Amino acid sequence: MEKIIIKGGHRLFGRVAVEGAKNAVLPLQAAGILASTGTLHLTNVPVLSDVLMMNELLKFLNIRVQFNQENHVIDLNASQKVSSEAPFQYVSKMRASMVVMGPLLARTGYAKIALPGGCAIGSRPIDLHLKGLRQLGAVIEQHDGYIEARADRLVGTNIYLDFPSVGATQNIMMAATLAEGITTIENCAREPEIVDLANALNKMGARVHGAGTDVIRIQGVNFLHGCDYRVMSDRIEAGTFMIAAAATNGDVVIENAESKYNEPLIAKLQDMGVTVIDQDDGIRVLGTSVLLPSTVQTAPYPGFPTDLQPQMTVLQLLANGTSMMNETVFEKRFMHLEELRRMNAEYQIKNSTAVLSGPTKFSGAEVATTDLRAGAALVIAGLVAQGITQVRNLKYLDRGYYHLHQKLAQLGAQIDRVNIDDQIELASAKEVNHPERG
């Protein structure tokens, strides 16, 4: 077991590069199932535990997977017969593995998927996934902790999503690439990761139009093939570093970050007095000694992303006054605030809104991550806290951030990651070799 130890009070300064997008690469890996010929060659792949888990699932499905972690490249070859069952041991650990259902159904006519797991940030029903696949002609049953879907041939149709779900849009879009006729998805997700997936599918031979708008049309084709594709940069990792720079009153250039993907965050940072400069090589963030309070509401893209909400609340707690965060996407995404209370945060939660009192003088404490983005928030709080902060339960952080502590250390943070078990063993050895004298 490991923990991150931070000595707060150091401004971040310098340059940091962001990885390929976690939320983009996972559906791209799943899209490899659709390529009956050739190899899907993905570059700019982040080395994350979720990526590794998806690779293991794909291997279980009889897809040849080669991951060159040093070069951040994955080669996926699904030219052999593909299996159709995604067991509990994989899906229970990563909710995003649900996106294999659409590709499996389209490629093999059958999919058996364990009910998903993932971060405990609230109810994330899969009913929209199933509704869309049913409308494409699938017969779906749920029993014994699994979902089974069958279809001799998927047939294009008009599908309206009651909520612009990213996962449902991805699943339906991939299934529709091999369906007969034209599929229209209305009120679909508009996230940049949707556009990234559509661009990759089109390079594989699909005919997807309208990605990035609320209506996507897919003309079904007979087969897809491999291609070379570069994963987009991670806008959530970029946003995390932008907030960290602002929180520490730093001066940081986030390389490869694209301002068009983080416009809601940039607008709120500027409202709070932070300077944000769009450069050719990325985004530069310069902090301010006095942060102004702000009101933020999360929403599907192009609104403020829920994946930056926990990190943003830390910045709001540092502001000179009362801020409000209204979470409209996940009902349990304020769990990190209870950990921040241990670091001297003051707040009240009223329904879906957190009322945050500042300016907070964070004090170091031992805290535990409850989900991926909550972990990032606790690390940011530790960067500005007086004293030592210890962050435990790092398995969530590893799902979405590559070498976060090392990148922050390069920017001047006093931060390290240590193995708790090694410390215990070392202490025990000292006790054996140097017992107290009576």
Side-chain angles (χ1 to χ4, degrees), residues 276-303:
V276 182
I277 303 172
D278 191 9
Q279 301 183 168
D280 291 339
D281 58 348
I283 298 173
R284 183 181 180 187
V285 177
L286 297 95
T288 176
S289 58
V290 179
L291 288 163
L292 301 176
S294 67
T295 297
V296 180
Q297 176 170 297
T298 65
Y301 190 87

PDB file of all heavy atoms in Angstrom, residues 276-303:
ATOM      1  N   VAL A 276      -5.158  33.611 -17.382  1.00  0.00           N
ATOM      2  CA  VAL A 276      -5.018  32.437 -18.242  1.00  0.00           C
ATOM      3  C   VAL A 276      -4.658  32.916 -19.643  1.00  0.00           C
ATOM      4  O   VAL A 276      -5.376  33.734 -20.230  1.00  0.00           O
ATOM      5  CB  VAL A 276      -6.311  31.608 -18.288  1.00  0.00           C
ATOM      6  CG1 VAL A 276      -6.111  30.369 -19.159  1.00  0.00           C
ATOM      7  CG2 VAL A 276      -6.749  31.205 -16.883  1.00  0.00           C
ATOM      8  N   ILE A 277      -3.530  32.431 -20.160  1.00  0.00           N
ATOM      9  CA  ILE A 277      -3.028  32.859 -21.465  1.00  0.00           C
ATOM     10  C   ILE A 277      -2.981  31.660 -22.401  1.00  0.00           C
ATOM     11  O   ILE A 277      -2.354  30.637 -22.098  1.00  0.00           O
ATOM     12  CB  ILE A 277      -1.624  33.476 -21.344  1.00  0.00           C
ATOM     13  CG1 ILE A 277      -1.650  34.668 -20.358  1.00  0.00           C
ATOM     14  CG2 ILE A 277      -1.107  33.924 -22.700  1.00  0.00           C
ATOM     15  CD1 ILE A 277      -0.273  35.203 -20.026  1.00  0.00           C
ATOM     16  N   ASP A 278      -3.633  31.784 -23.555  1.00  0.00           N
ATOM     17  CA  ASP A 278      -3.623  30.728 -24.566  1.00  0.00           C
ATOM     18  C   ASP A 278      -2.367  30.886 -25.420  1.00  0.00           C
ATOM     19  O   ASP A 278      -2.180  31.913 -26.073  1.00  0.00           O
ATOM     20  CB  ASP A 278      -4.886  30.829 -25.427  1.00  0.00           C
ATOM     21  CG  ASP A 278      -5.075  29.619 -26.327  1.00  0.00           C
ATOM     22  OD1 ASP A 278      -4.335  28.631 -26.164  1.00  0.00           O
ATOM     23  OD2 ASP A 278      -5.955  29.663 -27.206  1.00  0.00           O
ATOM     24  N   GLN A 279      -1.490  29.895 -25.394  1.00  0.00           N
ATOM     25  CA  GLN A 279      -0.243  29.934 -26.139  1.00  0.00           C
ATOM     26  C   GLN A 279      -0.234  28.836 -27.211  1.00  0.00           C
ATOM     27  O   GLN A 279      -1.034  27.910 -27.172  1.00  0.00           O
ATOM     28  CB  GLN A 279       0.953  29.727 -25.191  1.00  0.00           C
ATOM     29  CG  GLN A 279       1.034  30.765 -24.095  1.00  0.00           C
ATOM     30  CD  GLN A 279       2.260  30.598 -23.203  1.00  0.00           C
ATOM     31  OE1 GLN A 279       2.585  31.489 -22.412  1.00  0.00           O
ATOM     32  NE2 GLN A 279       2.944  29.458 -23.310  1.00  0.00           N
ATOM     33  N   ASP A 280       0.712  28.966 -28.156  1.00  0.00           N
ATOM     34  CA  ASP A 280       0.814  27.978 -29.225  1.00  0.00           C
ATOM     35  C   ASP A 280       1.135  26.589 -28.680  1.00  0.00           C
ATOM     36  O   ASP A 280       0.708  25.580 -29.239  1.00  0.00           O
ATOM     37  CB  ASP A 280       1.896  28.393 -30.241  1.00  0.00           C
ATOM     38  CG  ASP A 280       1.501  29.627 -31.037  1.00  0.00           C
ATOM     39  OD1 ASP A 280       0.283  29.918 -31.105  1.00  0.00           O
ATOM     40  OD2 ASP A 280       2.396  30.291 -31.580  1.00  0.00           O
ATOM     41  N   ASP A 281       1.903  26.537 -27.592  1.00  0.00           N
ATOM     42  CA  ASP A 281       2.340  25.251 -27.055  1.00  0.00           C
ATOM     43  C   ASP A 281       1.504  24.783 -25.867  1.00  0.00           C
ATOM     44  O   ASP A 281       1.842  23.787 -25.227  1.00  0.00           O
ATOM     45  CB  ASP A 281       3.815  25.309 -26.646  1.00  0.00           C
ATOM     46  CG  ASP A 281       4.091  26.389 -25.605  1.00  0.00           C
ATOM     47  OD1 ASP A 281       3.210  27.241 -25.369  1.00  0.00           O
ATOM     48  OD2 ASP A 281       5.202  26.378 -25.029  1.00  0.00           O
ATOM     49  N   GLY A 282       0.422  25.498 -25.540  1.00  0.00           N
ATOM     50  CA  GLY A 282      -0.405  25.086 -24.417  1.00  0.00           C
ATOM     51  C   GLY A 282      -1.099  26.261 -23.749  1.00  0.00           C
ATOM     52  O   GLY A 282      -1.380  27.279 -24.385  1.00  0.00           O
ATOM     53  N   ILE A 283      -1.347  26.128 -22.466  1.00  0.00           N
ATOM     54  CA  ILE A 283      -2.044  27.153 -21.690  1.00  0.00           C
ATOM     55  C   ILE A 283      -1.161  27.557 -20.517  1.00  0.00           C
ATOM     56  O   ILE A 283      -0.661  26.699 -19.781  1.00  0.00           O
ATOM     57  CB  ILE A 283      -3.392  26.620 -21.162  1.00  0.00           C
ATOM     58  CG1 ILE A 283      -4.308  26.242 -22.323  1.00  0.00           C
ATOM     59  CG2 ILE A 283      -4.069  27.658 -20.269  1.00  0.00           C
ATOM     60  CD1 ILE A 283      -5.588  25.547 -21.889  1.00  0.00           C
ATOM     61  N   ARG A 284      -0.982  28.882 -20.331  1.00  0.00           N
ATOM     62  CA  ARG A 284      -0.229  29.393 -19.185  1.00  0.00           C
ATOM     63  C   ARG A 284      -1.202  29.941 -18.148  1.00  0.00           C
ATOM     64  O   ARG A 284      -2.127  30.690 -18.477  1.00  0.00           O
ATOM     65  CB  ARG A 284       0.741  30.488 -19.617  1.00  0.00           C
ATOM     66  CG  ARG A 284       1.621  31.014 -18.487  1.00  0.00           C
ATOM     67  CD  ARG A 284       2.541  32.115 -18.975  1.00  0.00           C
ATOM     68  NE  ARG A 284       3.391  32.626 -17.897  1.00  0.00           N
ATOM     69  CZ  ARG A 284       4.202  33.687 -18.028  1.00  0.00           C
ATOM     70  NH1 ARG A 284       4.271  34.337 -19.192  1.00  0.00           N
ATOM     71  NH2 ARG A 284       4.932  34.086 -17.013  1.00  0.00           N
ATOM     72  N   VAL A 285      -0.986  29.536 -16.899  1.00  0.00           N
ATOM     73  CA  VAL A 285      -1.838  29.970 -15.794  1.00  0.00           C
ATOM     74  C   VAL A 285      -0.984  30.697 -14.772  1.00  0.00           C
ATOM     75  O   VAL A 285       0.029  30.161 -14.303  1.00  0.00           O
ATOM     76  CB  VAL A 285      -2.548  28.774 -15.132  1.00  0.00           C
ATOM     77  CG1 VAL A 285      -3.364  29.238 -13.930  1.00  0.00           C
ATOM     78  CG2 VAL A 285      -3.441  28.055 -16.138  1.00  0.00           C
ATOM     79  N   LEU A 286      -1.374  31.934 -14.429  1.00  0.00           N
ATOM     80  CA  LEU A 286      -0.696  32.724 -13.410  1.00  0.00           C
ATOM     81  C   LEU A 286      -1.693  33.023 -12.296  1.00  0.00           C
ATOM     82  O   LEU A 286      -2.763  33.594 -12.539  1.00  0.00           O
ATOM     83  CB  LEU A 286      -0.153  34.037 -13.983  1.00  0.00           C
ATOM     84  CG  LEU A 286       0.921  33.918 -15.071  1.00  0.00           C
ATOM     85  CD1 LEU A 286       0.282  33.980 -16.455  1.00  0.00           C
ATOM     86  CD2 LEU A 286       1.947  35.035 -14.935  1.00  0.00           C
ATOM     87  N   GLY A 287      -1.342  32.640 -11.095  1.00  0.00           N
ATOM     88  CA  GLY A 287      -2.235  32.805  -9.962  1.00  0.00           C
ATOM     89  C   GLY A 287      -2.325  34.225  -9.466  1.00  0.00           C
ATOM     90  O   GLY A 287      -1.687  35.138 -10.000  1.00  0.00           O
ATOM     91  N   THR A 288      -3.126  34.414  -8.431  1.00  0.00           N
ATOM     92  CA  THR A 288      -3.292  35.711  -7.797  1.00  0.00           C
ATOM     93  C   THR A 288      -3.278  35.525  -6.292  1.00  0.00           C
ATOM     94  O   THR A 288      -3.672  34.463  -5.788  1.00  0.00           O
ATOM     95  CB  THR A 288      -4.625  36.369  -8.238  1.00  0.00           C
ATOM     96  OG1 THR A 288      -4.809  37.589  -7.530  1.00  0.00           O
ATOM     97  CG2 THR A 288      -5.812  35.462  -7.963  1.00  0.00           C
ATOM     98  N   SER A 289      -2.837  36.537  -5.578  1.00  0.00           N
ATOM     99  CA  SER A 289      -2.749  36.415  -4.120  1.00  0.00           C
ATOM    100  C   SER A 289      -4.122  36.474  -3.457  1.00  0.00           C
ATOM    101  O   SER A 289      -4.296  36.007  -2.329  1.00  0.00           O
ATOM    102  CB  SER A 289      -1.852  37.522  -3.551  1.00  0.00           C
ATOM    103  OG  SER A 289      -2.351  38.800  -3.916  1.00  0.00           O
ATOM    104  N   VAL A 290      -5.106  37.055  -4.149  1.00  0.00           N
ATOM    105  CA  VAL A 290      -6.470  37.141  -3.608  1.00  0.00           C
ATOM    106  C   VAL A 290      -7.436  36.562  -4.627  1.00  0.00           C
ATOM    107  O   VAL A 290      -7.677  37.159  -5.675  1.00  0.00           O
ATOM    108  CB  VAL A 290      -6.855  38.593  -3.270  1.00  0.00           C
ATOM    109  CG1 VAL A 290      -8.282  38.631  -2.727  1.00  0.00           C
ATOM    110  CG2 VAL A 290      -5.886  39.198  -2.266  1.00  0.00           C
ATOM    111  N   LEU A 291      -7.999  35.414  -4.306  1.00  0.00           N
ATOM    112  CA  LEU A 291      -8.975  34.777  -5.176  1.00  0.00           C
ATOM    113  C   LEU A 291     -10.375  35.282  -4.844  1.00  0.00           C
ATOM    114  O   LEU A 291     -10.748  35.399  -3.678  1.00  0.00           O
ATOM    115  CB  LEU A 291      -8.934  33.254  -4.998  1.00  0.00           C
ATOM    116  CG  LEU A 291      -7.717  32.532  -5.576  1.00  0.00           C
ATOM    117  CD1 LEU A 291      -7.605  31.137  -4.988  1.00  0.00           C
ATOM    118  CD2 LEU A 291      -7.824  32.455  -7.105  1.00  0.00           C
ATOM    119  N   LEU A 292     -11.152  35.577  -5.865  1.00  0.00           N
ATOM    120  CA  LEU A 292     -12.519  36.037  -5.686  1.00  0.00           C
ATOM    121  C   LEU A 292     -13.461  34.837  -5.628  1.00  0.00           C
ATOM    122  O   LEU A 292     -13.229  33.817  -6.285  1.00  0.00           O
ATOM    123  CB  LEU A 292     -12.922  36.953  -6.838  1.00  0.00           C
ATOM    124  CG  LEU A 292     -12.058  38.208  -7.030  1.00  0.00           C
ATOM    125  CD1 LEU A 292     -12.514  38.973  -8.263  1.00  0.00           C
ATOM    126  CD2 LEU A 292     -12.116  39.091  -5.797  1.00  0.00           C
ATOM    127  N   PRO A 293     -14.539  34.918  -4.844  1.00  0.00           N
ATOM    128  CA  PRO A 293     -15.492  33.799  -4.767  1.00  0.00           C
ATOM    129  C   PRO A 293     -16.219  33.598  -6.095  1.00  0.00           C
ATOM    130  O   PRO A 293     -16.294  34.518  -6.926  1.00  0.00           O
ATOM    131  CB  PRO A 293     -16.449  34.219  -3.652  1.00  0.00           C
ATOM    132  CG  PRO A 293     -16.335  35.702  -3.591  1.00  0.00           C
ATOM    133  CD  PRO A 293     -14.919  36.033  -3.966  1.00  0.00           C
ATOM    134  N   SER A 294     -16.758  32.407  -6.276  1.00  0.00           N
ATOM    135  CA  SER A 294     -17.423  32.104  -7.542  1.00  0.00           C
ATOM    136  C   SER A 294     -18.567  31.133  -7.325  1.00  0.00           C
ATOM    137  O   SER A 294     -18.620  30.416  -6.323  1.00  0.00           O
ATOM    138  CB  SER A 294     -16.429  31.503  -8.541  1.00  0.00           C
ATOM    139  OG  SER A 294     -16.000  30.223  -8.102  1.00  0.00           O
ATOM    140  N   THR A 295     -19.480  31.122  -8.285  1.00  0.00           N
ATOM    141  CA  THR A 295     -20.573  30.152  -8.320  1.00  0.00           C
ATOM    142  C   THR A 295     -20.404  29.292  -9.564  1.00  0.00           C
ATOM    143  O   THR A 295     -20.274  29.823 -10.676  1.00  0.00           O
ATOM    144  CB  THR A 295     -21.941  30.848  -8.348  1.00  0.00           C
ATOM    145  OG1 THR A 295     -22.114  31.592  -7.137  1.00  0.00           O
ATOM    146  CG2 THR A 295     -23.065  29.829  -8.473  1.00  0.00           C
ATOM    147  N   VAL A 296     -20.385  27.979  -9.374  1.00  0.00           N
ATOM    148  CA  VAL A 296     -20.144  27.040 -10.476  1.00  0.00           C
ATOM    149  C   VAL A 296     -21.247  25.995 -10.479  1.00  0.00           C
ATOM    150  O   VAL A 296     -21.687  25.529  -9.428  1.00  0.00           O
ATOM    151  CB  VAL A 296     -18.766  26.348 -10.328  1.00  0.00           C
ATOM    152  CG1 VAL A 296     -18.534  25.371 -11.470  1.00  0.00           C
ATOM    153  CG2 VAL A 296     -17.645  27.390 -10.263  1.00  0.00           C
ATOM    154  N   GLN A 297     -21.683  25.630 -11.672  1.00  0.00           N
ATOM    155  CA  GLN A 297     -22.652  24.544 -11.821  1.00  0.00           C
ATOM    156  C   GLN A 297     -22.137  23.566 -12.859  1.00  0.00           C
ATOM    157  O   GLN A 297     -21.812  23.944 -13.986  1.00  0.00           O
ATOM    158  CB  GLN A 297     -24.020  25.081 -12.252  1.00  0.00           C
ATOM    159  CG  GLN A 297     -25.049  23.978 -12.522  1.00  0.00           C
ATOM    160  CD  GLN A 297     -26.448  24.511 -12.704  1.00  0.00           C
ATOM    161  OE1 GLN A 297     -27.021  25.094 -11.791  1.00  0.00           O
ATOM    162  NE2 GLN A 297     -27.015  24.321 -13.892  1.00  0.00           N
ATOM    163  N   THR A 298     -22.041  22.290 -12.478  1.00  0.00           N
ATOM    164  CA  THR A 298     -21.601  21.292 -13.441  1.00  0.00           C
ATOM    165  C   THR A 298     -22.727  20.978 -14.420  1.00  0.00           C
ATOM    166  O   THR A 298     -23.905  21.118 -14.110  1.00  0.00           O
ATOM    167  CB  THR A 298     -21.163  19.998 -12.748  1.00  0.00           C
ATOM    168  OG1 THR A 298     -22.305  19.400 -12.103  1.00  0.00           O
ATOM    169  CG2 THR A 298     -20.084  20.266 -11.710  1.00  0.00           C
ATOM    170  N   ALA A 299     -22.334  20.539 -15.613  1.00  0.00           N
ATOM    171  CA  ALA A 299     -23.317  20.201 -16.644  1.00  0.00           C
ATOM    172  C   ALA A 299     -22.610  19.396 -17.726  1.00  0.00           C
ATOM    173  O   ALA A 299     -21.376  19.453 -17.857  1.00  0.00           O
ATOM    174  CB  ALA A 299     -23.928  21.472 -17.243  1.00  0.00           C
ATOM    175  N   PRO A 300     -23.361  18.645 -18.524  1.00  0.00           N
ATOM    176  CA  PRO A 300     -22.735  17.974 -19.661  1.00  0.00           C
ATOM    177  C   PRO A 300     -22.058  18.991 -20.576  1.00  0.00           C
ATOM    178  O   PRO A 300     -22.435  20.167 -20.613  1.00  0.00           O
ATOM    179  CB  PRO A 300     -23.922  17.293 -20.364  1.00  0.00           C
ATOM    180  CG  PRO A 300     -24.946  17.121 -19.290  1.00  0.00           C
ATOM    181  CD  PRO A 300     -24.795  18.328 -18.401  1.00  0.00           C
ATOM    182  N   TYR A 301     -21.066  18.529 -21.313  1.00  0.00           N
ATOM    183  CA  TYR A 301     -20.337  19.404 -22.235  1.00  0.00           C
ATOM    184  C   TYR A 301     -21.320  20.085 -23.184  1.00  0.00           C
ATOM    185  O   TYR A 301     -22.265  19.450 -23.645  1.00  0.00           O
ATOM    186  CB  TYR A 301     -19.337  18.569 -23.040  1.00  0.00           C
ATOM    187  CG  TYR A 301     -18.356  19.382 -23.845  1.00  0.00           C
ATOM    188  CD1 TYR A 301     -17.176  19.829 -23.267  1.00  0.00           C
ATOM    189  CD2 TYR A 301     -18.621  19.692 -25.166  1.00  0.00           C
ATOM    190  CE1 TYR A 301     -16.271  20.572 -24.006  1.00  0.00           C
ATOM    191  CE2 TYR A 301     -17.724  20.447 -25.902  1.00  0.00           C
ATOM    192  CZ  TYR A 301     -16.550  20.885 -25.321  1.00  0.00           C
ATOM    193  OH  TYR A 301     -15.653  21.633 -26.050  1.00  0.00           O
ATOM    194  N   PRO A 302     -21.156  21.397 -23.418  1.00  0.00           N
ATOM    195  CA  PRO A 302     -19.996  22.244 -23.125  1.00  0.00           C
ATOM    196  C   PRO A 302     -20.052  22.977 -21.787  1.00  0.00           C
ATOM    197  O   PRO A 302     -19.398  24.009 -21.630  1.00  0.00           O
ATOM    198  CB  PRO A 302     -20.017  23.251 -24.277  1.00  0.00           C
ATOM    199  CG  PRO A 302     -21.487  23.426 -24.568  1.00  0.00           C
ATOM    200  CD  PRO A 302     -22.121  22.087 -24.318  1.00  0.00           C
ATOM    201  N   GLY A 303     -20.795  22.451 -20.822  1.00  0.00           N
ATOM    202  CA  GLY A 303     -20.834  23.048 -19.496  1.00  0.00           C
ATOM    203  C   GLY A 303     -19.598  22.701 -18.684  1.00  0.00           C
ATOM    204  O   GLY A 303     -18.675  22.030 -19.160  1.00  0.00           O
TER     205      GLY A 303
END
